[in-house]
Amino acid sequence: MRRRAHCPPRVPTPHDCRHTRSLGETTVKTLATLLIAVAFAMPAYADFTTTPMSPPPQAELDKVLADPDCDLFDESTLAEMWEGTTLNATTRVHIVPCFMGAYNLMSKVLIERREGDSAASTFDTTSFADYSSLYGWTGSDMLTNAFINPETGYLAHFHKGRGLGDCGTTGSWEWTGYLFSMIEYRVEEDCNGRLPDEWPVVYARSNTPSESTPAEVARDCSAAPFCEDRRYFKDWLTACRQPRTDTTRFCSANAYVHDTSAPAGFTYQLRISREQRSAPLRVSFIAVFEMMNRAKPVEFKVDGERVVLLSPDEIETDQSINDYFVGPQDQTDQLLAAMRAGSQLTISYTAENGKRLSVPFSLSGLTASLLWIEENAGH
């Protein structure tokens, strides 16, 4: 007969008493070990707040591009133009470009969600209310010049009826936890020089989940039209956006070649801009229809005298494909000095169709515009 190991009372020795464990004790410990192993083997739930923000999968981007209303000049840059933010642990919003015009960028808004412990995401295209006096309230699956504040979930839309931004529609929405709720919508169908803050309000919610008044939310100046301060100096429109947290302001002076038959009300724009007071002035030229042949030089003349001749590699398009910047700062400074003393600037370039075009801009009011920028650009 097999003898049981002897254990003195109150002096248990695990090694000597290993044969005295009951079946219940063994089962409990084995089960606990298995549970721990299973727990470590399970994939960790991917919390959006702890994982890097990334564009939607290519399959979702392809769905956007498949829409016949979407037309981008260069689809390869879609992922670079995409913007997104995390709303909470299970929800993200993606603003995916769909159509690019001279002054409007139209985008689809995709909501990415993860339910329960699933590591897979679902994507839904969100629709928003739109208004016109002709059709009344309608639905649209696109927003124009959209911006979302990642801290508040505030979403803004600004559709320009023309490049000056004095007509069109503006809208604001707030994330409520599951969807975007409209706060305010304004419509200006007559291009009469009024700023968006002066446009008629067709809808204003009486209260908001964040307990902010519609007027307070509508003054979120991180989105177009940026609550700009504007002044006209003869043939130039000058504007400064609201101060940033460091009190600096983006300012610009703008001249146009007007064309009432064009959708924007103009065909060319000349802009002199400054990111802040300490930053240098930059000169850019916007062609609404006749895109520039980037393999050809561009000539700048003041009162008939050549001031600058830019080679193709000295022309920059870092903001938009039809917004052409003078690259070298020394040439920019040289050009500005001549413009301050002149009365007319003529820009000559070769269009994509091979035509050689010359575009005149009045310089009347430029000096006053630049002085106003200097005074209002912040620190």
Side-chain angles (χ1 to χ4, degrees):
M1 179 181 294
R2 185 176 181 182
R3 297 181 62 184
R4 182 183 297 272
H6 174 68
C7 292
R10 300 182 183 178
V11 189
T13 307
H15 177 75
D16 293 337
C17 300
R18 61 184 181 275
H19 298 297
T20 65
R21 291 175 181 165
S22 66
L23 178 61
E25 290 174 319
T26 303
T27 303
V28 170
K29 291 192 175 184
T30 302
L31 181 59
T33 302
L34 289 173
L35 289 174
I36 292 173
V38 170
F40 278 102
M42 291 178 63
Y45 171 61
D47 185 339
F48 278 153
T49 61
T50 61
T51 55
M53 190 71 201
S54 60
Q58 187 60 46
E60 297 298 330
L61 297 179
D62 290 341
K63 291 179 184 178
V64 172
L65 295 175
D67 188 328
D69 290 332
C70 289
D71 183 15
L72 293 175
F73 292 110
D74 185 0
E75 295 180 1
S76 65
T77 63
L78 180 61
E80 299 176 7
M81 299 167 63
W82 151 91
E83 293 183 16
T85 191
T86 297
L87 296 172
N88 54 46
T90 60
T91 313
R92 281 176 169 168
V93 61
H94 302 269
I95 300 176
V96 182
C98 175
F99 178 85
M100 178 184 289
Y103 43 85
N104 284 324
L105 175 62
M106 303 181 71
S107 304
K108 290 183 181 287
V109 178
L110 306 184
I111 303 298
E112 178 184 2
R113 290 188 174 92
R114 287 184 181 172
E115 303 293 343
D117 294 335
S118 173
S121 295
T122 60
F123 292 84
D124 298 299
T125 301
T126 304
S127 293
F128 298 88
D130 192 13
Y131 182 86
S132 70
S133 60
L134 180 61
Y135 298 107
W137 287 103
T138 57
S140 173
D141 62 355
M142 283 190 273
L143 293 181
T144 307
N145 300 320
F147 168 85
I148 186 166
N149 186 320
E151 296 181 358
T152 64
Y154 171 92
L155 179 67
H157 147 99
F158 178 37
H159 185 92
K160 296 182 180 181
R162 64 176 184 173
L164 288 175
D166 61 345
C167 56
T169 62
T170 66
S172 58
W173 293 261
E174 188 173 33
W175 181 252
T176 62
Y178 191 78
L179 49 76
F180 284 103
S181 176
M182 181 181 284
I183 299 168
E184 185 182 80
Y185 207 83
R186 294 174 180 255
V187 178
E188 178 58 84
E189 296 177 335
D190 297 324
C191 301
N192 51 22
R194 292 200 296 178
L195 300 180
D197 287 347
E198 303 173 289
W199 293 356
V201 177
V202 295
Y203 175 82
R205 195 169 66 197
S206 59
N207 56 71
T208 69
S210 64
E211 298 183 355
S212 300
T213 65
E216 289 171 341
V217 178
R219 290 291 296 177
D220 186 322
C221 297
S222 54
F226 307 105
C227 307
E228 292 177 336
D229 293 327
R230 295 185 177 185
R231 297 291 185 276
Y232 284 92
F233 297 95
K234 296 185 178 179
D235 295 329
W236 287 74
L237 167 64
T238 309
C240 284
R241 298 176 187 172
Q242 288 298 301
R244 306 181 182 98
T245 55
D246 61 358
T247 73
T248 62
R249 307 178 76 182
F250 174 88
C251 296
S252 65
N254 306 269
Y256 302 87
V257 175
H258 295 283
D259 183 350
T260 56
S261 64
F266 66 92
T267 52
Y268 295 98
Q269 177 182 350
L270 176 65
R271 181 175 60 212
I272 302 172
S273 59
R274 169 176 277 164
E275 281 294 330
Q276 58 190 47
R277 186 189 297 275
S278 60
L281 290 169
R282 300 197 68 192
V283 176
S284 67
F285 167 68
I286 299 172
V288 177
F289 299 111
E290 299 285 358
M291 305 283 283
M292 185 181 293
N293 182 337
R294 293 297 309 283
K296 301 293 184 179
V298 180
E299 182 183 48
F300 293 79
K301 290 183 177 181
V302 174
D303 297 336
E305 297 292 330
R306 177 191 287 179
V307 179
V308 169
L309 179 65
L310 295 180
S311 61
D313 61 349
E314 293 176 321
I315 304 166
E316 299 178 358
T317 54
D318 52 351
Q319 296 190 15
S320 179
I321 59 173
N322 66 332
D323 193 357
Y324 310 101
F325 281 81
V326 177
Q329 191 59 47
D330 59 339
Q331 301 222 50
T332 299
D333 296 340
Q334 180 183 349
L335 178 59
L336 285 171
M339 290 170 63
R340 290 175 188 266
S343 59
Q344 180 174 281
L345 171 71
T346 302
I347 301 175
S348 299
Y349 73 101
T350 303
E352 288 183 336
N353 58 14
K355 291 191 299 184
R356 187 67 180 172
L357 302 173
S358 294
V359 185
F361 290 95
S362 169
L363 298 177
S364 179
L366 171 63
T367 300
S369 296
L370 296 181
L371 288 173
W372 190 84
I373 287 178
E374 184 67 26
E375 294 173 355
N376 291 274
H379 298 299

